Amino acid sequence: MDDGYITEDGRKIGGVVMEMKNITLRFGGVVAIKDISFDIREGEIRAIIGPNGAGKSSMLNVISGFYIPSEGEVFYKGSKRPQMRPFEVARQGIARTFQNIALFEGMSVLDNVMTGRLNHMQSNLFQQALWSGKAEREETANREVAEKVIDFLEIQHIRKTPVSRLPYGLKKRVELARALAAEPQLLLLDEPMAGMNVEEKEDMCRFILDVNDEFGTTICLIEHDMGVVMDLSDRVVVMDYGKKIGDGTPNEVRNNQEVIDAYLGVSHD
Amino acid sequence: MAQTQSSAEGMKSLPALLERNATEFADAPAYREKEFGIWQSWSWAETAEQIEALALGLINLGVNEGDFIAIIGRNRPYMYWSMVAAQSVGAIPVPLYQDSGAEEMAYVLGHCGARFIVVADQEQADKVIQVQDQLHQFEHLIYLDPRGMRKYDHHQLHQYSHVQDQGRAARDEWITDLKARREKLTYDSTCVMLYTSGTTGKPKGVVLSNRNVIETARNSAEFDKLTRNEDILSYLPMAWVGDFIFSIGQAYWCGFCVNCPESADTMITDLREIGPSYYFAPPRVFETQLTTVMIRMEDAGSLKKRMFDRAMAHAKKVGGKILDGEPVGFMDRLKYRIGDMLVYGPLKDTLGLGNVRVGYTAGEAIGPEIFDFYRSLGINLKQLYGQTEATVFITAQPDGQVRADTVGVPSPNVEIKIADNGEIFYRSPGTFVEYYKNPESTASTKDAEGWVATGDAGFFEPDSGHLRIIDRAKDVGKMADGSLFAPKYVENKLKFYPDILEAVLFGNGKDRCVAFINIDLSAVGNWAERNNIAYASYQELAGHPKVLESIKSHVTAVNASVAEDEMLSGCQIHRFVVLHKELDADDGEMTRTRKVRRVIVADKFSDIVDAMYGGDAQVSTVTEVTYEDGRKGSISATLQIVDAEVAPIRQKIAAE
């Protein structure tokens, strides 16, 4: 296998972590994704962009294992991935956030973040209910990770606040916190900036870069905001009507005529 | 605990006090900080080790005696340690306001010629890097939080913990030098240099010696009988002299514990968890807390609300008297005790002020209602008057002699005299050494005998001997008819209304006064919510007819109360506008300690002032605003000018 590349800002990107080979996804007669292939490399920030209905979220769901592709294969860490249930995917080190926030609204921020640690707990229900030594030690260790994430994302002040009382921008951040608490190797972000104001977007950008920089997490994100995508990502896949129309660094994509026509608008002069 | 402090006699520097604390109170907590959801703590012995490691690391990096080390960041134990470490190696710490913009920092860093800069995080580091071309002496930057700093060029950047590790590794090489440098420190060595924010002109570097700091710490600790068992919460800007005295001066003198909040946003929660015994806050913090309590009581059930109202009415009647030790009847005392169990106690705990033995407010005048509210709960809140040049303390209120309208009696060893024009002068062991590289200003502020001009006008009350401040001496002017113009007197009366955040009065040399008013967004916003008033922005809310109406009623009430003071009755407000933006330090309209810069405001909004005097009913204006990241923008607005009702001036009754 090849050895990756060096980004424009000097970061070293590793080998292929996940590879999508000729993926096609159909819902009855509707073809959501048509014969798409691309890869995600270790340590990079990979973006998937495209107009509404291009099939971006479907693609992310295929990556996360939630959808089973009708045709094509997914390779994760060099081997072909079998059909899996969501928790099995999570155990493989993949975590995600959702376009329309999916938190436990009635629980506090801390409890929500702690749910991200579930896969790291070994004690069973009875041990936890009886607060056995093992359960207690585990809880302490997991709480420590959760607190580091809370500190990292600067949400200490809402630690004990029920999620339902939080504004939208903060909920998004809590969702990212829960995903991070799982200590993923691959983090999937579905429109992390949707509906945010400029300041919140800037904060979120910084967090995404910091996560990538600090933990070396591979990140795959879907985003609408072109400015954000071009600033953040190392490589971009462009989709339109379920097809891949471009793939490369932000600069390459920006200069790809097909992409300009389809997504950025046709220039008239 | 007199004996613990008497053992500090003869200690001539903070590093010396640290050494004493590390031996005498070795295991007692010196610093706590909430991190990762838990209060982490360091004993005095551990603190001494941390500071020594950093000091050795600084020598290792090439810090010379007499160098300036700038310190920029929020209150964290590490940042306090860097101050004392700087002192240990004979350097001078210069704490900066962390919310200053890069250009403001460039001036201060250039003025003191800091070779080394200690910053808390990437945000501060970026600001320094942005202006480093203007800083000729700058050599090394030490950062505390490595997050986001990985990719930076590390030729001049060093991580705090790495500097300490290098210091520990090089202990054998440098420990004798460090000890020698520590022993060279005398009472006259510079302890710290603090830049005053200054309501006019460029900031000035106030040089304070060890004598200033240690004598002041001793006097003030004795005045309030502070012991090593106090707990304080350090959340006020480290660049402010008050924080330096409380969190370093008094903490090292007494040996008490300094607690640092987890983040600026968690301060209220952290306050509740720590329950400090000695507490300090500007009036604004007390106002905000009171507003929050009142808003929440508005939303409470009727039973709770009735109980709260009954109890508070009783507290207002006797609470202050009980605190001052005045005679109060048995039934009233009993009722107060019941109220304490049901309302005051739980409320104090909610506010985090349940353990406060000594509380101070200073910096600005506090509203009498606000002040009395806290005192009636049984919180020993007092006022003091001070400034950077005096190492804080000029006057303070002794226990049992506390009033809202005075600032107390001269602090121990402070002499005060009042000049003919009413300006207050003082002389004390805390009197600053000089303004750094600014002999003219030093000479114009401090005379040869050591008397320092405060720039404030005031007088001693004949019966109580307490000092009363009228206004900034330079702000006190004359109206066209020769009567006194004291803007702050009127502004403070306005600001005591919870929905008014800030007010600026104009009228010097004119025949009548006009005013700018800023609404308090949280109070007015809550009121709007309860009254089903929809608004999309601060600007829209500020211009809402109902808001204007309620502000007008406040102005009318203030006018009535101003009219009763025969000296100042000319200062009644004839017309006012509610401004479309909050006055902000980022726009230069206020100082970093949130005092209005009158001249700048008058200049920037001169079109509005002219329209107010010109008799226009409204005025359209465009205002430039600066965002937190330094970008500029502008907002345009059309403001309604409101005519206020002016109370008839009571004629002086000729003495018979």
Side-chain angles (χ1 to χ4, degrees):
Chain A
M1 205 179 272
D2 60 336
D3 292 309
Y5 63 101
I6 307 285
T7 62
E8 282 163 24
D9 58 354
R11 275 161 43 244
K12 205 174 166 308
I13 300 298
V16 174
V17 177
M18 182 165 266
E19 193 175 9
M20 321 299 290
K21 269 196 180 152
N22 308 98
I23 302 289
T24 299
L25 181 69
R26 285 189 210 96
F27 297 107
V30 182
V31 184
I33 302 174
K34 207 180 203 165
D35 192 25
I36 288 189
S37 304
F38 68 93
D39 57 16
I40 302 170
R41 286 165 181 277
E42 194 177 347
E44 78 177 341
I45 301 181
R46 187 74 148 126
I48 304 174
I49 62 170
N52 273 333
K56 303 183 299 285
S57 288
S58 303
M59 194 71 232
L60 201 73
N61 280 326
V62 171
I63 299 173
S64 73
F66 187 66
Y67 289 163
I68 313 298
S70 316
E71 284 164 37
E73 288 161 337
V74 180
F75 287 88
Y76 183 56
K77 293 182 181 166
S79 56
K80 190 178 165 206
R81 193 169 73 179
Q83 195 171 330
M84 283 192 294
R85 285 185 289 172
F87 75 90
E88 292 170 321
V89 177
R91 280 206 182 141
Q92 290 209 325
I94 300 178
R96 70 168 297 177
T97 66
F98 297 84
Q99 186 174 350
N100 37 3
I101 302 165
L103 291 162
F104 302 102
E105 292 275 321
M107 282 163 38
S108 70
V109 169
L110 179 63
D111 289 340
N112 267 288
V113 177
M114 284 296 276
T115 58
R117 299 296 301 164
L118 273 181
N119 272 319
H120 298 260
M121 300 208 192
Q122 251 121 57
S123 53
N124 60 39
L125 181 69
F126 291 105
Q127 286 170 318
Q128 288 182 18
L130 297 170
W131 201 234
S132 72
K134 186 184 175 192
E136 191 184 342
R137 278 194 302 280
E138 244 182 29
E139 173 97 7
T140 312
N142 285 317
R143 172 79 188 266
E144 216 170 290
V145 178
E147 284 292 348
K148 290 215 164 111
V149 172
I150 287 174
D151 183 73
F152 190 84
L153 294 180
E154 293 165 17
I155 46 176
Q156 302 100 326
H157 59 294
I158 49 165
R159 185 185 282 130
K160 300 272 169 73
T161 315
V163 166
S164 56
R165 275 177 36 199
L166 297 177
Y168 182 78
L170 277 177
K171 281 187 187 171
K172 280 261 177 196
R173 217 191 281 180
V174 174
E175 215 188 20
L176 176 60
R178 180 178 62 185
L180 278 183
E183 297 182 287
Q185 286 144 23
L186 176 60
L187 179 62
L188 309 175
L189 306 174
D190 196 349
E191 304 225 7
M193 332 267 177
M196 288 188 168
N197 64 31
V198 178
E199 206 170 308
E200 287 169 335
K201 274 184 189 169
E202 280 179 2
D203 280 348
M204 191 51 106
C205 272
R206 194 166 54 85
F207 287 129
I208 292 173
L209 287 171
D210 281 352
V211 166
N212 176 257
D213 187 39
E214 194 74 24
F215 308 121
T217 312
T218 309
I219 294 171
C220 176
L221 63 95
I222 294 179
E223 189 45 62
H224 247 92
D225 189 320
M226 286 305 284
V228 167
V229 171
M230 295 305 177
D231 277 358
L232 270 182
S233 34
D234 300 314
R235 289 193 302 155
V236 183
V237 177
V238 193
M239 291 176 71
D240 194 18
Y241 295 112
K243 284 182 296 192
K244 182 169 97 169
I245 57 169
D247 187 355
T249 65
N251 268 329
E252 287 165 9
V253 168
R254 211 180 269 132
N255 297 324
N256 178 332
Q257 193 54 47
E258 210 178 337
V259 175
I260 296 172
D261 292 351
Y263 190 72
L264 303 174
V266 180
S267 149
H268 292 287
D269 46 27
Chain B
M1 256 181 224
Q3 78 277 16
T4 57
Q5 281 159 29
S6 64
S7 72
E9 293 298 341
M11 297 287 170
K12 301 294 186 202
S13 69
L14 292 173
L17 283 169
L18 172 68
E19 210 177 315
R20 178 216 43 166
N21 293 347
T23 38
E24 288 191 20
F25 322 136
D27 296 329
Y31 288 93
R32 286 195 203 101
E33 185 191 32
K34 194 168 182 188
E35 213 191 0
F36 305 130
I38 296 174
W39 286 96
Q40 322 275 347
S41 101
W42 292 267
S43 70
W44 279 107
E46 284 161 343
T47 302
E49 195 280 327
Q50 293 277 357
I51 291 175
E52 185 184 273
L54 183 63
L56 290 166
L58 289 175
I59 299 182
N60 200 36
L61 266 182
V63 175
N64 296 323
E65 285 163 281
D67 279 349
F68 288 95
I69 301 184
I71 289 154
I72 317 168
R74 70 176 176 85
N75 315 62
R76 299 196 62 182
Y78 310 92
M79 301 314 271
Y80 287 115
W81 299 342
S82 62
M83 293 227 231
V84 183
Q87 291 161 349
S88 307
V89 299
I92 297 151
V94 185
L96 266 65
Y97 285 97
Q98 57 157 342
D99 55 351
S100 326
E103 289 306 315
E104 258 174 281
M105 280 184 186
Y107 174 78
V108 172
L109 293 172
H111 185 259
C112 68
R115 280 181 67 210
F116 295 81
I117 302 174
V118 182
V119 299
D121 53 21
Q122 188 189 12
E123 185 187 345
Q124 306 299 338
D126 282 348
K127 283 194 250 180
V128 174
I129 291 166
Q130 191 187 329
V131 297
Q132 65 174 341
D133 297 340
Q134 306 168 36
L135 309 172
H136 306 300
Q137 277 114 329
F138 166 67
E139 283 178 27
H140 294 284
L141 182 130
I142 298 167
Y143 59 87
L144 183 57
D145 186 351
R147 168 165 170 199
M149 302 288 296
R150 221 165 283 256
K151 280 179 262 172
Y152 288 57
D153 173 11
H154 273 66
H155 283 96
Q156 288 183 300
L157 304 186
H158 311 272
Q159 193 178 327
Y160 190 98
S161 61
H162 296 173
V163 175
Q164 283 186 314
D165 290 342
Q166 286 158 11
R168 289 187 186 105
R171 193 171 192 277
D172 295 341
E173 283 114 290
W174 296 119
I175 190 70
T176 43
D177 296 64
L178 177 62
K179 281 190 173 146
R181 289 193 192 190
R182 263 197 313 231
E183 268 149 33
K184 262 193 261 175
L185 297 174
T186 67
Y187 238 22
D188 292 314
S189 326
T190 302
C191 180
V192 67
M193 186 154 93
L194 300 162
Y195 277 83
T196 55
S197 44
T199 41
T200 49
K202 290 275 185 195
K204 288 179 281 193
V206 179
V207 176
L208 296 178
S209 66
N210 282 321
R211 169 180 287 110
N212 295 151
V213 171
I214 293 176
E215 291 273 318
T216 303
R218 181 182 67 195
N219 289 335
S220 52
E222 279 169 10
F223 182 77
D224 282 313
K225 302 175 189 67
L226 301 178
T227 70
R228 51 174 285 220
N229 301 320
E230 312 299 337
D231 264 302
I232 65 167
L233 187 74
S234 297
Y235 66 98
L236 292 163
M238 287 181 67
W240 178 59
V241 65
D243 188 63
F244 188 82
I245 289 302
F246 301 124
S247 305
I248 295 192
Q250 293 180 336
Y252 278 64
W253 176 265
C254 303
F256 61 66
C257 181
V258 170
N259 301 280
C260 298
E262 189 168 19
S263 75
D265 298 326
T266 58
M267 183 268 185
I268 296 292
T269 322
D270 298 331
L271 182 68
R272 200 177 307 153
E273 287 175 5
I274 285 298
S277 59
Y278 177 42
Y279 179 61
F280 195 95
R284 191 174 292 265
V285 171
F286 289 110
E287 280 164 26
T288 318
Q289 279 195 325
L290 177 58
T291 311
T292 319
V293 169
M294 287 310 180
I295 289 171
R296 282 170 68 175
M297 282 321 296
E298 289 290 339
D299 296 339
S302 66
L303 177 72
K304 281 185 189 163
K305 189 160 162 40
R306 273 221 308 278
M307 194 164 89
F308 176 77
D309 290 342
R310 284 279 300 272
M312 287 317 300
H314 184 67
K316 202 171 174 182
K317 200 172 97 192
V318 299
K321 287 183 186 165
I322 291 175
L323 196 60
D324 284 340
E326 286 173 32
V328 174
F330 176 76
M331 278 311 288
D332 276 345
R333 273 183 192 276
L334 188 69
K335 265 161 86 183
Y336 189 82
R337 284 293 283 277
I338 295 168
D340 194 38
M341 277 192 298
L342 294 175
V343 178
Y344 320 139
L347 180 56
K348 278 193 284 186
D349 279 339
T350 310
L351 294 171
L353 304 176
N355 292 335
V356 170
R357 199 168 56 74
V358 181
Y360 274 115
T361 170
E364 287 271 345
I366 187 167
E369 277 101 54
I370 298 162
F371 190 68
D372 290 340
F373 171 82
Y374 286 97
R375 285 194 62 80
S376 70
L377 290 177
I379 298 164
N380 186 20
L381 184 61
K382 308 195 285 184
Q383 298 201 73
L384 69 76
Y385 169 61
Q387 54 177 209
T388 310
E389 288 84 346
T391 327
V392 185
F393 291 90
I394 298 175
T395 68
Q397 294 178 324
D399 289 343
Q401 298 178 34
V402 180
R403 284 167 43 196
D405 57 348
T406 76
V407 292
V409 298
S411 295
N413 292 337
V414 178
E415 301 166 76
I416 294 182
K417 71 177 182 189
I418 311 265
D420 296 336
N421 66 353
E423 185 166 357
I424 303 161
F425 287 77
Y426 65 87
R427 185 162 72 175
S428 74
T431 303
F432 73 118
V433 180
E434 58 170 358
Y435 292 120
Y436 185 64
K437 288 205 277 196
N438 195 346
E440 304 92 58
S441 287
T442 309
S444 66
T445 312
K446 189 166 107 165
D447 69 12
E449 290 171 19
W451 289 99
V452 181
T454 59
D456 289 322
F459 63 93
F460 277 107
E461 277 196 346
D463 357 317
S464 61
H466 281 229
L467 186 67
R468 262 183 83 168
I469 311 286
I470 311 174
D471 204 337
R472 297 285 299 166
K474 68 175 166 44
D475 290 339
V476 175
K478 290 261 192 295
M479 308 281 299
D481 63 357
S483 66
L484 200 62
F485 171 70
K488 198 161 235 174
Y489 175 79
V490 181
E491 287 160 13
N492 283 338
K493 280 185 185 287
L494 281 170
K495 278 162 65 180
F496 296 154
Y497 289 97
D499 43 358
I500 298 179
L501 183 73
E502 205 58 68
V504 190
L505 191 74
F506 303 96
N508 198 9
K510 306 270 187 169
D511 57 339
R512 58 211 159 93
C513 289
V514 297
F516 286 171
I517 285 168
N518 262 173
I519 54 166
D520 186 323
L521 187 59
S522 62
V524 179
N526 187 272
W527 166 84
E529 202 177 291
R530 273 186 284 116
N531 290 283
N532 286 326
I533 292 170
Y535 64 97
S537 64
Y538 179 88
Q539 191 178 338
E540 193 181 329
L541 186 63
H544 196 280
K546 284 200 166 160
V547 173
L548 293 180
E549 203 176 290
S550 83
I551 299 290
K552 185 177 170 179
S553 69
H554 297 330
V555 172
T556 309
V558 167
N559 278 346
S561 115
V562 171
E564 283 178 13
D565 191 315
E566 57 185 46
M567 247 166 60
L568 296 165
S569 58
C571 300
Q572 289 190 62
I573 298 160
H574 288 248
R575 312 189 79 196
F576 71 90
V577 295
V578 175
L579 283 185
H580 52 298
K581 75 175 277 285
E582 264 187 47
L583 298 178
D584 195 340
D586 286 334
D587 292 326
E589 293 150 350
M590 293 187 129
T591 66
R592 291 280 159 204
T593 46
R594 301 199 61 88
K595 288 180 186 145
V596 174
R597 286 178 157 142
R598 222 165 267 290
V599 182
I600 292 172
V601 171
D603 185 54
K604 187 167 176 181
F605 298 102
S606 57
D607 51 338
I608 306 180
V609 178
D610 291 344
M612 280 159 69
Y613 279 112
D616 305 355
Q618 57 182 36
V619 54
S620 295
T621 183
V622 178
T623 312
E624 185 180 86
V625 289
T626 312
Y627 297 110
E628 270 185 23
D629 58 4
R631 283 179 301 160
K632 306 253 186 209
S634 68
I635 44 175
S636 51
T638 302
L639 305 176
Q640 301 295 324
I641 299 177
V642 186
D643 290 295
E645 285 168 40
V646 179
I649 297 170
R650 282 198 311 187
Q651 294 297 320
K652 270 187 197 168
I653 301 158
E656 293 187 24

